[in-house]
Amino acid sequence: DSGVTQTPKHLITATGQRVTLRCSPRSGDLSVYWYQQSLDQGLQFLIHYYNGEERAKGNILERFSAQQFPDLHSELNLSSLELGDSALYFCASSVLPGDTQYFGPGTRLTVL
Amino acid sequence: AQSVTQLGSHVSVSEGALVLLRCNYSSSVPPYLFWYVQYPNQGLQLLLKYTTGATLVKGINGFEAEFKKSETSFHLTKPSAHMSDAAEYFCAVNRFGNEKLTFGTGTRLTIIP
């Protein structure tokens, strides 16, 4: 158990819908990262937040957004969902930016 | 820019045999290198990491990896495979000051009884 928690574990929804994925970092970690794992794209970095502020963006679609709250938990919002958004979404956390990242168990999103 | 190449998307070894999973990286600056393992329906677990210092790094579950700058490699080894080692293994790279991890495509390890 890495200490990073993610909810929900599974999410099934329809095209065009909007969902929110939640992540709680390890105690003491200020950085939260989001990654997407899909069969065709592999593991891709989406976005990084540090202490409530966006620090870096990767291959994140405009339909996707994230935020980190004062209690340091983070949410990833996915809207206008398409079939191709079906994937495993991981959250990771670290003490500071660039430190070793510890991953949560992931949220499996299925878009029908 | 940095990238990671994992040679062999599938590797099968007999129980008790040597495990060797290959990883080559490219990075314009000294890299930090990681191996993560993903068991079925689970998240990524850190096996080991190299940042600076000793080039032979020991990790959990009997795995180790050696950073070879001249070969731009960070291969993962285990002397004797166990059935519980069956999983997918990912090599990843980043560098000091760069937040994102760049992952390889993964190697699925199968252990033959």
Side-chain angles (χ1 to χ4, degrees):
Chain A
D1 186 350
S2 67
V4 180
T5 60
Q6 289 188 248
T7 57
K9 192 169 184 178
H10 300 279
L11 201 47
I12 301 174
T13 188
T15 55
Q17 296 298 305
R18 172 189 169 94
V19 297
T20 297
L21 313 183
R22 182 188 170 103
C23 167
S24 292
R26 297 184 318 159
S27 177
D29 285 1
L30 300 178
S31 273
V32 171
Y33 312 77
W34 287 97
Y35 292 83
Q36 179 194 60
Q37 184 181 33
S38 61
L39 285 175
D40 54 343
Q41 298 286 332
L43 269 159
Q44 299 258 326
F45 167 74
L46 295 178
I47 198 163
H48 168 215
Y49 275 81
Y50 169 66
N51 205 20
E53 299 290 325
E54 182 185 304
R55 281 272 302 202
K57 265 187 175 179
N59 300 320
I60 188 166
L61 299 171
E62 285 192 14
R63 301 183 285 107
F64 296 1
S65 65
Q67 54 184 327
Q68 186 180 26
F69 294 86
D71 67 352
L72 301 176
H73 91 273
S74 177
E75 293 180 357
L76 180 66
N77 300 295
L78 316 176
S79 61
S80 303
L81 285 167
E82 302 175 359
L83 296 177
D85 298 327
S86 295
L88 200 48
Y89 291 84
F90 286 111
C91 165
S93 73
S94 69
V95 177
L96 296 173
D99 284 348
T100 300
Q101 296 177 30
Y102 295 90
F103 283 75
T107 293
R108 183 171 295 280
L109 173 67
T110 303
V111 182
L112 301 175
Chain B
Q2 50 200 22
S3 66
V4 176
T5 302
Q6 289 184 243
L7 293 175
S9 57
H10 290 87
V11 171
S12 295
V13 302
S14 297
E15 190 175 14
L18 171 71
V19 175
L20 171 60
L21 305 183
R22 300 178 186 273
C23 173
N24 288 89
Y25 68 91
S26 70
S27 177
S28 56
V29 295
Y32 293 170
L33 293 157
F34 305 82
W35 277 98
Y36 285 87
V37 60
Q38 184 177 27
Y39 297 102
N41 301 313
Q42 293 189 29
L44 295 163
Q45 181 181 6
L46 179 68
L47 269 180
L48 49 78
K49 64 180 180 181
Y50 168 80
T51 54
T52 58
T55 56
L56 182 62
V57 180
K58 295 188 185 297
I60 62 171
N61 302 337
F63 284 94
E64 62 182 37
E66 187 170 11
F67 170 61
K68 291 187 176 180
K69 185 178 179 181
S70 61
E71 298 177 9
T72 60
S73 69
F74 191 57
H75 301 330
L76 182 71
T77 60
K78 181 173 180 177
S80 177
H82 191 273
M83 295 300 294
S84 61
D85 296 327
E88 187 143 22
Y89 293 78
F90 292 92
C91 182
V93 63
N94 76 351
R95 57 179 173 81
F96 178 75
N98 187 351
E99 294 93 356
K100 76 167 192 175
L101 282 170
T102 299
F103 284 89
T105 51
T107 297
R108 185 169 299 279
L109 177 64
T110 300
I111 310 299
I112 304 166

Short mmCIF file of all heavy atoms in Angstrom, two decimals, chain A residues 2 9 33 35 37 43-45 48 55-56 58-59 88 90 97-106 108, chain B residues 32 34 36 38 41-46 49 51 88 90 94-105:
data_model
loop_
_atom_site.label_atom_id
_atom_site.label_comp_id
_atom_site.label_asym_id
_atom_site.label_seq_id
_atom_site.Cartn_x
_atom_site.Cartn_y
_atom_site.Cartn_z
N SER A 2 0.73 2.07 -1.05
CA SER A 2 1.59 3.25 -1.20
C SER A 2 1.18 4.40 -0.29
O SER A 2 1.96 5.32 -0.07
CB SER A 2 1.57 3.72 -2.65
OG SER A 2 0.27 4.23 -2.97
N LYS A 9 -12.88 3.19 -7.71
CA LYS A 9 -11.99 2.20 -8.30
C LYS A 9 -12.39 1.93 -9.75
O LYS A 9 -11.54 1.75 -10.62
CB LYS A 9 -12.05 0.91 -7.50
CG LYS A 9 -10.96 -0.08 -7.86
CD LYS A 9 -10.90 -1.21 -6.86
CE LYS A 9 -9.73 -2.15 -7.16
NZ LYS A 9 -9.61 -3.23 -6.17
N TYR A 33 0.38 14.14 -9.08
CA TYR A 33 0.51 13.96 -10.53
C TYR A 33 -0.62 13.08 -11.02
O TYR A 33 -1.03 12.15 -10.32
CB TYR A 33 1.83 13.27 -10.88
CG TYR A 33 3.06 13.83 -10.21
CD1 TYR A 33 3.34 13.55 -8.86
CD2 TYR A 33 3.96 14.63 -10.91
CE1 TYR A 33 4.47 14.05 -8.24
CE2 TYR A 33 5.10 15.13 -10.28
CZ TYR A 33 5.34 14.84 -8.96
OH TYR A 33 6.46 15.33 -8.33
N TYR A 35 -1.70 10.55 -14.31
CA TYR A 35 -1.25 9.82 -15.48
C TYR A 35 -2.43 9.02 -16.06
O TYR A 35 -3.34 8.61 -15.34
CB TYR A 35 -0.14 8.82 -15.13
CG TYR A 35 1.16 9.44 -14.73
CD1 TYR A 35 1.39 9.88 -13.43
CD2 TYR A 35 2.20 9.59 -15.66
CE1 TYR A 35 2.59 10.45 -13.06
CE2 TYR A 35 3.41 10.16 -15.29
CZ TYR A 35 3.60 10.57 -14.00
OH TYR A 35 4.79 11.14 -13.64
N GLN A 37 -3.22 5.57 -18.41
CA GLN A 37 -2.67 4.36 -18.98
C GLN A 37 -3.70 3.74 -19.92
O GLN A 37 -4.78 3.33 -19.51
CB GLN A 37 -2.28 3.35 -17.91
CG GLN A 37 -1.60 2.10 -18.48
CD GLN A 37 -1.24 1.09 -17.41
OE1 GLN A 37 -1.92 0.94 -16.40
NE2 GLN A 37 -0.13 0.38 -17.61
N LEU A 43 1.57 4.63 -20.71
CA LEU A 43 1.46 5.51 -19.55
C LEU A 43 1.89 6.92 -19.94
O LEU A 43 3.03 7.16 -20.30
CB LEU A 43 2.38 5.01 -18.43
CG LEU A 43 1.78 4.05 -17.43
CD1 LEU A 43 2.86 3.27 -16.72
CD2 LEU A 43 0.92 4.79 -16.43
N GLN A 44 0.96 7.86 -19.82
CA GLN A 44 1.23 9.22 -20.25
C GLN A 44 0.96 10.18 -19.10
O GLN A 44 -0.07 10.11 -18.44
CB GLN A 44 0.30 9.59 -21.42
CG GLN A 44 0.48 8.72 -22.64
CD GLN A 44 1.29 9.40 -23.70
OE1 GLN A 44 1.24 10.60 -23.86
NE2 GLN A 44 2.07 8.62 -24.43
N PHE A 45 1.87 11.11 -18.92
CA PHE A 45 1.73 12.15 -17.90
C PHE A 45 0.67 13.15 -18.36
O PHE A 45 0.68 13.61 -19.50
CB PHE A 45 3.08 12.84 -17.72
CG PHE A 45 3.03 14.12 -16.94
CD1 PHE A 45 2.85 14.12 -15.57
CD2 PHE A 45 3.19 15.34 -17.59
CE1 PHE A 45 2.82 15.30 -14.85
CE2 PHE A 45 3.16 16.53 -16.88
CZ PHE A 45 2.98 16.51 -15.51
N HIS A 48 0.51 18.06 -13.28
CA HIS A 48 1.14 18.05 -11.97
C HIS A 48 0.72 19.29 -11.19
O HIS A 48 0.78 20.40 -11.72
CB HIS A 48 2.66 18.01 -12.14
CG HIS A 48 3.43 18.27 -10.88
ND1 HIS A 48 4.63 18.96 -10.87
CD2 HIS A 48 3.19 17.94 -9.58
CE1 HIS A 48 5.08 19.03 -9.64
NE2 HIS A 48 4.23 18.43 -8.83
N ARG A 55 1.74 23.02 -11.89
CA ARG A 55 3.18 23.15 -12.13
C ARG A 55 3.59 22.74 -13.54
O ARG A 55 4.52 23.30 -14.11
CB ARG A 55 3.95 22.25 -11.15
CG ARG A 55 4.09 22.80 -9.78
CD ARG A 55 5.29 23.66 -9.62
NE ARG A 55 6.53 22.96 -9.95
CZ ARG A 55 7.72 23.32 -9.52
NH1 ARG A 55 7.83 24.39 -8.75
NH2 ARG A 55 8.79 22.66 -9.88
N ALA A 56 2.95 21.72 -14.07
CA ALA A 56 3.34 21.24 -15.40
C ALA A 56 2.17 20.52 -16.04
O ALA A 56 1.37 19.89 -15.36
CB ALA A 56 4.53 20.29 -15.31
N GLY A 58 1.11 17.94 -19.34
CA GLY A 58 1.59 17.02 -20.35
C GLY A 58 0.57 16.88 -21.44
O GLY A 58 0.01 17.87 -21.91
N ASN A 59 0.30 15.65 -21.83
CA ASN A 59 -0.63 15.40 -22.93
C ASN A 59 -2.07 15.40 -22.44
O ASN A 59 -2.81 14.44 -22.61
CB ASN A 59 -0.31 14.04 -23.57
CG ASN A 59 1.10 14.01 -24.10
OD1 ASN A 59 1.56 14.98 -24.66
ND2 ASN A 59 1.78 12.90 -23.90
N LEU A 88 -7.09 3.57 -17.70
CA LEU A 88 -6.81 3.54 -16.27
C LEU A 88 -6.15 4.88 -15.93
O LEU A 88 -5.19 5.29 -16.60
CB LEU A 88 -5.85 2.39 -15.99
CG LEU A 88 -5.71 1.81 -14.59
CD1 LEU A 88 -7.05 1.52 -13.96
CD2 LEU A 88 -4.90 0.54 -14.66
N PHE A 90 -4.18 7.06 -13.18
CA PHE A 90 -3.41 6.96 -11.95
C PHE A 90 -3.11 8.34 -11.39
O PHE A 90 -2.83 9.28 -12.13
CB PHE A 90 -2.07 6.26 -12.20
CG PHE A 90 -2.18 4.78 -12.41
CD1 PHE A 90 -1.94 4.23 -13.65
CD2 PHE A 90 -2.52 3.95 -11.35
CE1 PHE A 90 -2.02 2.86 -13.85
CE2 PHE A 90 -2.61 2.58 -11.54
CZ PHE A 90 -2.36 2.04 -12.79
N PRO A 97 8.26 18.53 -5.87
CA PRO A 97 8.37 18.26 -7.31
C PRO A 97 9.70 17.59 -7.65
O PRO A 97 10.75 18.02 -7.19
CB PRO A 97 8.29 19.65 -7.93
CG PRO A 97 7.54 20.46 -6.94
CD PRO A 97 7.94 19.94 -5.60
N GLY A 98 9.62 16.52 -8.44
CA GLY A 98 10.83 15.83 -8.85
C GLY A 98 11.25 14.71 -7.92
O GLY A 98 12.11 13.91 -8.27
N ASP A 99 10.68 14.65 -6.72
CA ASP A 99 10.98 13.54 -5.81
C ASP A 99 10.34 12.25 -6.33
O ASP A 99 9.51 12.28 -7.24
CB ASP A 99 10.43 13.83 -4.42
CG ASP A 99 11.27 14.82 -3.64
OD1 ASP A 99 12.41 15.12 -4.08
OD2 ASP A 99 10.79 15.31 -2.60
N THR A 100 10.71 11.15 -5.73
CA THR A 100 10.15 9.86 -6.11
C THR A 100 8.63 9.88 -5.98
O THR A 100 8.09 10.35 -4.98
CB THR A 100 10.72 8.75 -5.21
OG1 THR A 100 12.14 8.72 -5.37
CG2 THR A 100 10.14 7.40 -5.57
N GLN A 101 7.97 9.38 -7.03
CA GLN A 101 6.52 9.40 -7.08
C GLN A 101 5.97 8.04 -6.64
O GLN A 101 6.45 6.99 -7.09
CB GLN A 101 6.05 9.72 -8.50
CG GLN A 101 6.45 11.12 -8.93
CD GLN A 101 6.06 11.44 -10.35
OE1 GLN A 101 5.06 10.94 -10.87
NE2 GLN A 101 6.83 12.31 -10.99
N TYR A 102 4.96 8.08 -5.81
CA TYR A 102 4.28 6.89 -5.32
C TYR A 102 2.86 6.89 -5.87
O TYR A 102 2.15 7.89 -5.77
CB TYR A 102 4.30 6.86 -3.79
CG TYR A 102 5.70 6.71 -3.27
CD1 TYR A 102 6.49 7.83 -2.99
CD2 TYR A 102 6.26 5.45 -3.08
CE1 TYR A 102 7.79 7.70 -2.55
CE2 TYR A 102 7.56 5.31 -2.63
CZ TYR A 102 8.32 6.43 -2.37
OH TYR A 102 9.62 6.29 -1.93
N PHE A 103 2.48 5.76 -6.44
CA PHE A 103 1.24 5.69 -7.21
C PHE A 103 0.09 5.09 -6.41
O PHE A 103 0.28 4.18 -5.60
CB PHE A 103 1.46 4.85 -8.47
CG PHE A 103 2.20 5.57 -9.56
CD1 PHE A 103 3.56 5.79 -9.46
CD2 PHE A 103 1.52 6.08 -10.66
CE1 PHE A 103 4.25 6.49 -10.45
CE2 PHE A 103 2.18 6.76 -11.66
CZ PHE A 103 3.55 6.96 -11.55
N GLY A 104 -1.09 5.59 -6.70
CA GLY A 104 -2.30 5.01 -6.18
C GLY A 104 -2.73 3.81 -7.00
O GLY A 104 -2.10 3.48 -8.00
N PRO A 105 -3.84 3.16 -6.59
CA PRO A 105 -4.29 1.94 -7.27
C PRO A 105 -4.99 2.21 -8.60
O PRO A 105 -5.21 1.27 -9.36
CB PRO A 105 -5.26 1.33 -6.27
CG PRO A 105 -5.75 2.49 -5.48
CD PRO A 105 -4.60 3.45 -5.40
N GLY A 106 -5.32 3.44 -8.88
CA GLY A 106 -5.92 3.79 -10.16
C GLY A 106 -7.43 3.76 -10.16
O GLY A 106 -8.06 3.12 -9.31
N ARG A 108 -10.35 2.87 -12.98
CA ARG A 108 -10.59 2.35 -14.34
C ARG A 108 -11.86 2.98 -14.88
O ARG A 108 -12.95 2.75 -14.33
CB ARG A 108 -10.71 0.83 -14.35
CG ARG A 108 -10.89 0.27 -15.76
CD ARG A 108 -10.77 -1.24 -15.81
NE ARG A 108 -9.44 -1.72 -15.46
CZ ARG A 108 -8.42 -1.73 -16.29
NH1 ARG A 108 -8.55 -1.27 -17.53
NH2 ARG A 108 -7.25 -2.21 -15.90
N TYR B 32 17.40 10.52 -13.71
CA TYR B 32 16.98 9.68 -12.61
C TYR B 32 16.21 8.52 -13.25
O TYR B 32 15.39 8.74 -14.14
CB TYR B 32 16.06 10.43 -11.66
CG TYR B 32 16.71 11.57 -10.89
CD1 TYR B 32 15.94 12.46 -10.15
CD2 TYR B 32 18.09 11.77 -10.90
CE1 TYR B 32 16.52 13.49 -9.43
CE2 TYR B 32 18.67 12.81 -10.20
CZ TYR B 32 17.89 13.67 -9.47
OH TYR B 32 18.45 14.71 -8.77
N PHE B 34 14.04 4.72 -12.86
CA PHE B 34 13.15 3.98 -11.97
C PHE B 34 12.67 2.71 -12.66
O PHE B 34 12.53 2.64 -13.87
CB PHE B 34 11.91 4.82 -11.64
CG PHE B 34 12.22 6.18 -11.05
CD1 PHE B 34 12.54 7.24 -11.88
CD2 PHE B 34 12.16 6.38 -9.69
CE1 PHE B 34 12.83 8.49 -11.35
CE2 PHE B 34 12.44 7.62 -9.15
CZ PHE B 34 12.78 8.68 -9.99
N TYR B 36 9.27 0.32 -12.03
CA TYR B 36 8.01 0.10 -11.34
C TYR B 36 7.44 -1.24 -11.79
O TYR B 36 7.65 -1.67 -12.93
CB TYR B 36 7.00 1.20 -11.68
CG TYR B 36 7.23 2.54 -11.03
CD1 TYR B 36 8.07 3.48 -11.62
CD2 TYR B 36 6.60 2.88 -9.84
CE1 TYR B 36 8.28 4.73 -11.03
CE2 TYR B 36 6.79 4.13 -9.24
CZ TYR B 36 7.64 5.04 -9.84
OH TYR B 36 7.83 6.27 -9.26
N GLN B 38 3.77 -3.54 -11.99
CA GLN B 38 2.31 -3.48 -11.93
C GLN B 38 1.76 -4.90 -11.96
O GLN B 38 1.86 -5.60 -12.97
CB GLN B 38 1.75 -2.67 -13.11
CG GLN B 38 0.24 -2.48 -13.05
CD GLN B 38 -0.27 -1.62 -14.20
OE1 GLN B 38 0.31 -1.55 -15.27
NE2 GLN B 38 -1.39 -0.94 -13.97
N ASN B 41 -4.46 -5.81 -12.18
CA ASN B 41 -5.51 -5.02 -11.53
C ASN B 41 -5.02 -4.23 -10.33
O ASN B 41 -5.79 -3.97 -9.39
CB ASN B 41 -6.67 -5.93 -11.12
CG ASN B 41 -7.28 -6.65 -12.29
OD1 ASN B 41 -7.56 -6.03 -13.32
ND2 ASN B 41 -7.46 -7.95 -12.19
N GLN B 42 -3.76 -3.86 -10.36
CA GLN B 42 -3.22 -3.05 -9.27
C GLN B 42 -2.50 -1.83 -9.83
O GLN B 42 -2.31 -1.69 -11.03
CB GLN B 42 -2.27 -3.88 -8.41
CG GLN B 42 -2.96 -5.00 -7.64
CD GLN B 42 -2.03 -5.64 -6.64
OE1 GLN B 42 -1.11 -5.01 -6.13
NE2 GLN B 42 -2.27 -6.91 -6.34
N GLY B 43 -2.10 -0.96 -8.93
CA GLY B 43 -1.35 0.22 -9.32
C GLY B 43 0.12 -0.08 -9.51
O GLY B 43 0.55 -1.22 -9.49
N LEU B 44 0.90 0.97 -9.69
CA LEU B 44 2.34 0.84 -9.91
C LEU B 44 3.06 0.88 -8.58
O LEU B 44 2.85 1.78 -7.77
CB LEU B 44 2.83 1.99 -10.79
CG LEU B 44 2.29 2.00 -12.22
CD1 LEU B 44 2.48 3.36 -12.85
CD2 LEU B 44 2.99 0.93 -13.04
N GLN B 45 3.95 -0.09 -8.39
CA GLN B 45 4.73 -0.15 -7.17
C GLN B 45 6.20 0.09 -7.50
O GLN B 45 6.73 -0.50 -8.44
CB GLN B 45 4.56 -1.52 -6.51
CG GLN B 45 5.31 -1.69 -5.21
CD GLN B 45 5.13 -3.06 -4.60
OE1 GLN B 45 4.53 -3.96 -5.20
NE2 GLN B 45 5.63 -3.26 -3.40
N LEU B 46 6.85 0.97 -6.75
CA LEU B 46 8.26 1.26 -6.99
C LEU B 46 9.11 0.07 -6.59
O LEU B 46 9.04 -0.40 -5.45
CB LEU B 46 8.67 2.50 -6.20
CG LEU B 46 10.13 2.92 -6.33
CD1 LEU B 46 10.40 3.43 -7.75
CD2 LEU B 46 10.48 4.00 -5.32
N LYS B 49 15.22 2.64 -7.62
CA LYS B 49 15.49 3.89 -8.31
C LYS B 49 16.98 4.19 -8.27
O LYS B 49 17.69 3.78 -7.35
CB LYS B 49 14.72 5.04 -7.68
CG LYS B 49 15.13 5.32 -6.24
CD LYS B 49 14.33 6.48 -5.66
CE LYS B 49 14.75 6.75 -4.21
NZ LYS B 49 13.98 7.85 -3.59
N THR B 51 19.36 7.65 -8.59
CA THR B 51 19.46 9.11 -8.74
C THR B 51 20.91 9.50 -8.89
O THR B 51 21.34 9.98 -9.94
CB THR B 51 18.80 9.84 -7.56
OG1 THR B 51 19.35 9.35 -6.33
CG2 THR B 51 17.30 9.58 -7.53
N GLU B 88 3.73 -6.88 -14.91
CA GLU B 88 4.26 -6.00 -15.95
C GLU B 88 5.24 -5.04 -15.30
O GLU B 88 4.97 -4.50 -14.22
CB GLU B 88 3.15 -5.24 -16.66
CG GLU B 88 3.64 -4.44 -17.85
CD GLU B 88 2.66 -4.42 -19.00
OE1 GLU B 88 1.46 -4.66 -18.77
OE2 GLU B 88 3.09 -4.15 -20.15
N PHE B 90 7.75 -1.64 -15.69
CA PHE B 90 7.94 -0.39 -16.42
C PHE B 90 9.22 0.29 -15.98
O PHE B 90 9.45 0.48 -14.79
CB PHE B 90 6.76 0.56 -16.18
CG PHE B 90 5.46 0.10 -16.76
CD1 PHE B 90 4.58 -0.66 -16.01
CD2 PHE B 90 5.11 0.43 -18.07
CE1 PHE B 90 3.37 -1.09 -16.56
CE2 PHE B 90 3.91 0.02 -18.61
CZ PHE B 90 3.05 -0.76 -17.86
N ASN B 94 13.24 10.44 -15.32
CA ASN B 94 13.06 11.88 -15.26
C ASN B 94 14.41 12.45 -14.84
O ASN B 94 15.41 11.76 -14.83
CB ASN B 94 11.88 12.31 -14.38
CG ASN B 94 12.16 12.22 -12.89
OD1 ASN B 94 13.18 11.69 -12.45
ND2 ASN B 94 11.24 12.75 -12.11
N ARG B 95 14.44 13.71 -14.58
CA ARG B 95 15.70 14.33 -14.19
C ARG B 95 15.42 15.38 -13.15
O ARG B 95 14.28 15.79 -12.97
CB ARG B 95 16.40 14.92 -15.40
CG ARG B 95 15.57 15.94 -16.16
CD ARG B 95 16.34 16.53 -17.33
NE ARG B 95 15.50 17.37 -18.16
CZ ARG B 95 15.21 18.64 -17.87
NH1 ARG B 95 15.67 19.19 -16.78
NH2 ARG B 95 14.44 19.35 -18.68
N PHE B 96 16.45 15.78 -12.47
CA PHE B 96 16.30 16.76 -11.42
C PHE B 96 15.60 17.99 -11.94
O PHE B 96 15.96 18.54 -12.96
CB PHE B 96 17.67 17.14 -10.86
CG PHE B 96 17.59 18.19 -9.78
CD1 PHE B 96 17.15 17.86 -8.51
CD2 PHE B 96 17.91 19.51 -10.05
CE1 PHE B 96 17.05 18.81 -7.52
CE2 PHE B 96 17.82 20.48 -9.07
CZ PHE B 96 17.39 20.13 -7.80
N GLY B 97 14.55 18.38 -11.26
CA GLY B 97 13.81 19.57 -11.64
C GLY B 97 12.71 19.34 -12.63
O GLY B 97 11.92 20.24 -12.90
N ASN B 98 12.63 18.11 -13.19
CA ASN B 98 11.58 17.80 -14.15
C ASN B 98 10.56 16.93 -13.45
O ASN B 98 10.88 15.85 -12.98
CB ASN B 98 12.17 17.09 -15.36
CG ASN B 98 11.16 16.89 -16.47
OD1 ASN B 98 9.97 17.13 -16.28
ND2 ASN B 98 11.62 16.45 -17.61
N GLU B 99 9.33 17.40 -13.43
CA GLU B 99 8.36 16.69 -12.62
C GLU B 99 7.86 15.40 -13.24
O GLU B 99 7.54 14.45 -12.53
CB GLU B 99 7.14 17.60 -12.36
CG GLU B 99 7.47 18.81 -11.52
CD GLU B 99 7.83 20.03 -12.33
OE1 GLU B 99 7.91 19.92 -13.55
OE2 GLU B 99 8.04 21.08 -11.72
N LYS B 100 7.73 15.35 -14.54
CA LYS B 100 7.01 14.22 -15.11
C LYS B 100 7.93 13.02 -15.30
O LYS B 100 9.10 13.14 -15.63
CB LYS B 100 6.38 14.60 -16.44
CG LYS B 100 7.33 14.69 -17.59
CD LYS B 100 6.57 14.76 -18.92
CE LYS B 100 7.48 14.55 -20.10
NZ LYS B 100 6.75 14.50 -21.38
N LEU B 101 7.36 11.85 -15.08
CA LEU B 101 8.03 10.60 -15.40
C LEU B 101 7.69 10.22 -16.84
O LEU B 101 6.53 10.29 -17.24
CB LEU B 101 7.54 9.47 -14.48
CG LEU B 101 8.11 9.42 -13.05
CD1 LEU B 101 7.35 8.40 -12.24
CD2 LEU B 101 9.59 9.11 -13.08
N THR B 102 8.72 9.83 -17.58
CA THR B 102 8.50 9.30 -18.92
C THR B 102 8.69 7.80 -18.84
O THR B 102 9.76 7.32 -18.42
CB THR B 102 9.49 9.91 -19.92
OG1 THR B 102 9.29 11.33 -19.96
CG2 THR B 102 9.27 9.33 -21.31
N PHE B 103 7.67 7.06 -19.22
CA PHE B 103 7.68 5.61 -19.07
C PHE B 103 8.00 4.91 -20.39
O PHE B 103 7.67 5.39 -21.48
CB PHE B 103 6.30 5.12 -18.60
CG PHE B 103 6.01 5.37 -17.16
CD1 PHE B 103 5.42 6.55 -16.75
CD2 PHE B 103 6.34 4.43 -16.20
CE1 PHE B 103 5.15 6.79 -15.41
CE2 PHE B 103 6.07 4.65 -14.85
CZ PHE B 103 5.48 5.84 -14.46
N GLY B 104 8.59 3.73 -20.26
CA GLY B 104 8.68 2.83 -21.39
C GLY B 104 7.35 2.14 -21.60
O GLY B 104 6.39 2.35 -20.85
N THR B 105 7.31 1.31 -22.63
CA THR B 105 6.05 0.66 -23.00
C THR B 105 5.73 -0.56 -22.16
O THR B 105 4.66 -1.14 -22.29
CB THR B 105 6.07 0.26 -24.48
OG1 THR B 105 7.28 -0.47 -24.73
CG2 THR B 105 6.05 1.49 -25.38
#
